[in-house]
Amino acid sequence: MNWQGFLDFMINFRTDRIMEQLTAWNVGDLAHNHYVLGSFALAIATTYFLGWKTISGFIVGIGGFTYAVSYAVAEGTGPEGLSGTGIWVLIGGGGAAVMLFIFLIFVRSE
């Protein structure tokens, strides 16, 4: 692969193209889909009570990231960034997911 081929490949990772693809996949609906939320809650509860705290922490991290991305896509983005309260939900929810992730994996040890 030459340099121009690499640059042509990297053009796919521009923010506007990524947001277009996430919108095409209807990722914005994941935050409101009861089956997705219930699946994450069930998987977290099952792994936590089985004693698999590390796996539970990873699922919390993945679930928090999925919620943050779906909320960002649902709110929409523009030149000014997220509109309304979307940025505060991303910061607060992302911070809570990261803190819970760190607690479950590193702090709470057996």
Side-chain angles (χ1 to χ4, degrees), residues 24-98:
W25 287 341
N26 292 327
V27 175
D29 297 336
L30 290 178
H32 305 291
N33 190 337
H34 299 293
Y35 294 117
V36 172
L37 296 175
S39 301
F40 272 111
L42 182 65
I44 291 167
T46 303
T47 56
Y48 187 79
F49 290 122
L50 285 176
W52 301 340
K53 307 278 191 286
T54 305
I55 295 173
S56 179
F58 279 118
I59 295 172
V60 166
I62 290 170
F65 179 73
T66 302
Y67 181 76
V69 168
S70 67
Y71 192 82
V73 170
E75 287 292 313
T77 58
E80 68 279 349
L82 288 174
S83 60
T85 61
I87 191 71
W88 298 113
V89 171
L90 285 176
I91 292 171
V98 166

Side-chain angles (χ1 to χ4, degrees), residues 9 17 23 27:
F9 175 72
R17 291 203 180 175
T23 304
V27 175

Side-chain angles (χ1 to χ4, degrees), residues 12-30:
N12 294 324
F13 295 103
R14 288 182 24 198
T15 305
D16 58 342
R17 291 203 180 175
I18 291 174
M19 291 304 291
E20 287 174 5
Q21 187 62 43
L22 289 174
T23 304
W25 287 341
N26 292 327
V27 175
D29 297 336
L30 290 178

